[in-house]
Each structure stands twice: as structure tokens, then as C-alpha cells.
Amino acid sequence: MSSSKVGIFFVVDNEVLFDAVSVQQGERCDNFIEHGGHYDFWDKLKPSNVIEQIFKDRAYDAYPRGRIVYFIREQKFRLYADTCLNSNDLKLVKEVFGIRNAVRTKDEHYQCASCNLDFMD
Ligand SMILES: [Zn+2]
């Protein structure tokens, strides 16, 4: 678990953009540890490559996103993600966060422009 991370991510054209810290450095709330915010990440990002520029050019919630949270009592990671992300996308995400196993959990908060019928750019 020492190298495993918690935080937030976006998947943009098969690349993972993320803000992650080790579990030890995460923010503890009750029974879980998390880190970061999707809007904050987008807001503060100064694009330094094409993918980041593509991402920044649209609203913060235009691309599929999710979060990895560590649950203390259960000693388990949970992966909250947009339902449109496929197993390849999630494999990349787990690699980036240094996690082998995570319980996938649907969360209707995390909907991209394609999944969210009410989305406006
Ligand atoms: Zn989606």
C-alpha cells in the first residue's frame, strides 16, 4: 500500500490526467482518505502539452472523470468513475495510482459531456 495513491483523474483521448498523493498524505474524512478536486485541478492547470490544452479548452466536466478513495476500516480502494470508461481506461488509471485492486463504484456525479444529457459547454 505504501506506493499506492488517492486522488482524482480525467481520461482525455486515452491519456490519464490526474492529481494524486500517497495514502499517507491524503485528507482523512471519517472512514476514508481522499485527495483533490476536479474543478480545482482544471482551474489551476496551466497546459504544458497538447492533451492538457485539449482538456482545458472545454468545461471542467466535459471529459470522463473519477476518483480513487482509500477506505480505512475495509483497507480497500474504491474507484469512482464515469460509466463510459472501459476496462482499458481503468487499467491505465490503476497503473498511474499504483493500485492493483479497487472496488469499482458507480457515481452519478461523474458524468462527462457524452453521458450527461443536460451538459452544456
Ligand atoms: Zn461519460
Side-chain angles (χ1 to χ4, degrees):
M1 187 188 106
S2 56
S3 63
S4 301
K5 298 185 171 81
V6 292
I8 55 110
F9 63 86
F10 295 86
V11 179
V12 182
D13 290 353
N14 300 314
E15 292 212 29
V16 183
L17 301 184
F18 62 95
D19 179 16
V21 297
S22 70
V23 172
Q24 290 81 358
Q25 293 172 302
E27 191 181 321
R28 184 170 177 172
C29 323
D30 297 329
N31 181 37
F32 61 89
I33 298 173
E34 64 171 12
H35 171 77
H38 290 94
Y39 180 80
D40 275 0
F41 176 80
W42 175 87
D43 189 42
K44 288 181 185 137
L45 181 72
K46 297 198 167 47
S48 62
N49 60 42
V50 176
I51 290 289
E52 289 180 357
Q53 190 61 57
I54 289 171
F55 170 67
K56 186 85 180 195
D57 281 347
R58 297 192 67 189
Y60 92 97
D61 55 352
Y63 289 96
R65 66 191 186 283
R67 175 185 290 280
I68 290 193
V69 177
Y70 183 71
F71 282 78
I72 299 162
R73 266 197 302 273
E74 295 84 348
Q75 301 191 331
K76 278 194 172 118
F77 289 94
R78 274 185 190 278
L79 171 60
Y80 298 90
D82 192 321
T83 50
C84 66
L85 292 172
N86 63 33
S87 55
N88 263 343
D89 297 326
L90 297 179
K91 197 174 148 225
L92 280 178
V93 168
K94 283 191 253 179
E95 275 171 24
V96 164
F97 282 77
I99 289 170
R100 237 171 289 149
N101 295 303
V103 182
R104 183 165 183 185
T105 309
K106 244 192 250 177
D107 191 317
E108 62 196 13
H109 285 114
Y110 302 143
Q111 287 190 328
C112 68
S114 314
C115 296
N116 179 0
L117 300 175
D118 299 321
F119 183 84
M120 285 191 294
D121 235 331

